Amino acid sequence: MPPPALEPAASGDKPLVLLAQPLFPEFAAALKGRYRFVLAADADAAEAAEARVLLVPGLKTVTAEHLDRLPALGLVAATSVGVDHVDLDACRHRGLAVTNAGEAFAADSADYGVGLVLAVMRRVAAADSYVRRGRWATDGDYPLTTKVSGKRVGIVGLGRIGSLVARRLAAFGCAVSYHSRSPKPSAPYRFVATARELAADSDVLVLSCALTEETRRMVNREVLEALGGGGVLVNVGRGGLVDEPELVRCLREGVIAGAGLDVYENEPHVPPELVDMDNVVLSDHRAVLTPESIRGALDMVAGNLDAFFAGRPLLSPVTL
Amino acid sequence: MPSPAAAAAAAAQGYGKPMALPAVIFIRRDASFAAALRQRFRILDLYATGQSLGAFLAAAAAASDPPRAAVVAAGGPVRVDAAFLDAVPSLRCVVSTAAGVDHIDLHECARRGVVVANSGRVYSTDVADYAVGMLIDVLRRVSAAERFVRRGLWPVQGDYPLGSKVHFFTSLGGKRVGIIGLGNIGSLIAKRLQAFGCVIYYNSTRPKDSVPYKYFPNVIGLASESDVLVVACALNKETRHIVNKDVLEALGKDGVIINVGRGANVDEAEMVRALQEGRIAGAGLDVFENEPAVPAELLSMDNVVLSPHVAVQTSESRSDLRDHTIANLEAFFSGKPLLSPVLPQYSKVNGTDR
């Protein structure tokens, strides 16, 4: 995909961009020739002193210490939507701007979230495995599963991704309610004041909010018990939103009926107890990943970098 | 014949002998369904007797109160054809436990004045939901990701090449979805996929007036402009192998096929070849030509999603089916119209519009 047109820098020198971790080959190819990329860990004293932009092409942690080494820094550019891996307090204190992937991944994340709801409740992946292992011929029909249409859906976080999840599940005749920091007056769905109440009123609880100090481990034993024996949890937010050991216990004990997980507390580590469960769908943090959304994220990154170096407003600044 | 209610009332008032519940032939491997029906009808359960079909029907016909209705499952070995109807001349009503009635000879029934009912809309939302679930799975590789994680490969292989089509196929947004058969199921699929930003096209025997989707008069035309082809039509003479080699070629190497109709709607051998040779990009299949046999070549493919004919199988629709079957039988026995009749002039579409 050809990169958008760009005014050449006055001196003809490519702007320096430090990298928190290496670029994916596709990113490198798309941004080639427009910036001078140096791995932050390899930066010499001159480069560290000069660098105005730190690009974080993944989820590697960026601490206050990392930022302190870069006195000229003005922008931390993330390629993801969630920026919980960046010390936002430190950025705020330094007066740094932070950008994320904006809308680039929203639709694909929402699509995948709904895919996980269907996969868990209708056992799509488990039934596929049943067939591949030859059990249809030997063991007969697959057991009955649970209808999705018309069920009560609770969404935690009605941001870009959550509102797209809502719209999709509404088309299945689901009644959608949500919990977020504050009600969204323009949303046609019912606001619920706490996650626990939302869980109590839901057959499916979908997590699509940011990970912050307030939301860390918000899905705890109390919330899971409220969700209950017929309830299903789907997480396309961050693993840290859930008390993972408690989730494993609740699944084992039948406190909830099942779960679809794209994210975990300690990726790529997946709790081994989950690997044998038929009522769990496990995914490798791929909800955002399609060629289309990656291109979109690339555009966002390039657009934010260009804007920053040209002194124009950033495309997708994160409110700190 | 008095309705069950009238019979019970008569019995309660002590008039004559207690009236027997109406006899109903039941041909389905489902003891709990038979038990549910037994509360209202005298069930003659073929599979419980262990008799051959011929002996069973002869015994039923020879009884003093021969059955006027039969509940016959689709997809099994039993066809309600001229021989079946000849064997039990008392039959006036046949109820299928599926939407499909390809196991029932509608013309023979019509000729004899035998009314036919199907499962109506009982299964429609579950099939539509499953079709969408399979479509997301094929395009976004949900099941493939599952296998990847369960095999412990995530920590080992880590972030794999973004260009790999096995792992990252494509987004749903903006995809053109061509639906073959815009009946109950097809319409529900369309409504769901629109919310994902898909563009809906369709083919059916005739265009539907109040529908906002683009109509294609033939399936090859539909396939050539679709990224995903969804088979949601009934199986009959016209729709057997409706997805054939030409249609697959028109669908093309980036195209995906989803089948929640009947296995025989698709030329299965041709589709398997097309998948092996990369002439189409993937498939989501709930039905096969020779269930439970699934072509072995498919079992190792990461770009296909396979399921053992489960699109209808939720606990909710199972109980809805029982209620619906009972309601059709009670309507028949009280002389009222069936809830979900299948009429022979729709034999081209077998009760579900294509």
Side-chain angles (χ1 to χ4, degrees), chain A residues 48-69:
Chain A
E50 179 195 335
R52 298 176 61 210
V53 175
L54 177 66
L55 174 58
V56 191
L59 299 178
K60 193 166 153 97
T61 309
V62 175
T63 64
E65 219 183 33
H66 293 135
L67 300 173
D68 285 344
R69 294 186 211 137

Side-chain angles (χ1 to χ4, degrees), chain B residues 38 105 109 134 167 187 193 255 272 299 308:
Chain B
R38 255 185 214 106
D105 189 329
C109 287
M134 278 203 298
H167 292 290
S187 309
L193 288 177
V272 171
L299 301 179

Side-chain angles (χ1 to χ4, degrees), chain A residues 195 205 207 211-212 214-225 233 235 238-253 255-256 259 261 263-266 271 273-274:
Chain A
L205 193 66
L207 307 182
L211 178 61
T212 64
E214 286 99 12
T215 62
R216 188 173 296 281
R217 294 203 159 187
M218 71 182 319
V219 178
N220 52 21
R221 176 99 190 179
E222 207 195 343
V223 170
L224 292 167
E225 282 181 347
L233 176 74
N235 191 0
R238 282 285 182 272
L241 294 169
V242 177
D243 179 343
E244 198 165 271
E246 195 56 61
L247 173 64
V248 172
R249 263 192 294 275
C250 286
L251 283 163
R252 234 198 353 247
E253 295 165 15
V255 171
I256 64 171
L261 307 171
V263 286
Y264 311 84
E265 283 198 307
N266 203 11
E273 300 91 328
L274 299 181

Side-chain angles (χ1 to χ4, degrees), chain B residues 7-219:
Chain B
Q13 290 179 303
Y15 277 84
K17 293 187 294 198
M19 297 298 289
L21 296 178
V24 174
I25 285 175
F26 182 78
I27 300 182
R28 180 175 160 104
R29 289 192 188 280
D30 194 336
S32 55
F33 194 162
L37 292 176
R38 255 185 214 106
Q39 297 177 6
R40 291 173 167 79
F41 309 103
R42 184 162 61 83
I43 293 301
L44 309 171
D45 184 339
L46 168 67
Y47 294 117
T49 64
Q51 290 174 306
S52 70
L53 180 65
F56 169 81
L57 294 179
S64 57
D65 177 27
R68 297 172 63 226
V71 174
V72 184
V78 175
R79 279 192 58 76
V80 181
D81 52 14
F84 188 113
L85 296 166
D86 282 342
V88 194
S90 55
L91 265 187
R92 314 306 306 144
C93 172
V94 180
V95 179
S96 170
T97 57
V101 290
D102 41 282
H103 59 306
I104 299 173
D105 189 329
L106 295 181
H107 285 292
E108 279 298 323
C109 287
R111 214 166 56 71
R112 298 149 195 264
V114 174
V115 293
V116 178
N118 69 354
S119 60
R121 290 174 193 250
V122 160
Y123 292 129
S124 303
T125 51
D126 283 331
V127 178
D129 291 353
Y130 206 81
V132 174
M134 278 203 298
L135 188 155
I136 299 175
D137 192 328
V138 177
L139 264 55
R140 300 298 307 276
R141 301 286 193 255
V142 179
S143 288
E146 256 264 313
R147 287 191 291 277
F148 185 72
V149 173
R150 282 173 197 260
R151 284 185 202 140
L153 294 177
W154 191 12
V156 172
Q157 288 192 12
D159 295 327
Y160 24 68
L162 293 180
S164 162
K165 276 213 162 179
V166 170
H167 292 290
F168 304 108
F169 184 34
T170 191
S171 176
L172 263 76
K175 288 295 183 293
R176 301 162 303 168
V177 176
I179 302 177
I180 303 174
L182 203 72
N184 296 330
I185 294 171
S187 309
L188 292 168
I189 292 173
K191 179 171 172 241
R192 280 146 180 70
L193 288 177
Q194 275 201 306
F196 291 80
C198 294
V199 177
I200 306 296
Y201 301 150
Y202 74 104
N203 164 262
S204 63
T205 41
R206 30 183 185 283
K208 314 235 165 198
D209 289 330
S210 56
V211 139
Y213 319 124
K214 181 173 171 186
Y215 172 73
F216 285 78
N218 72 63
V219 180

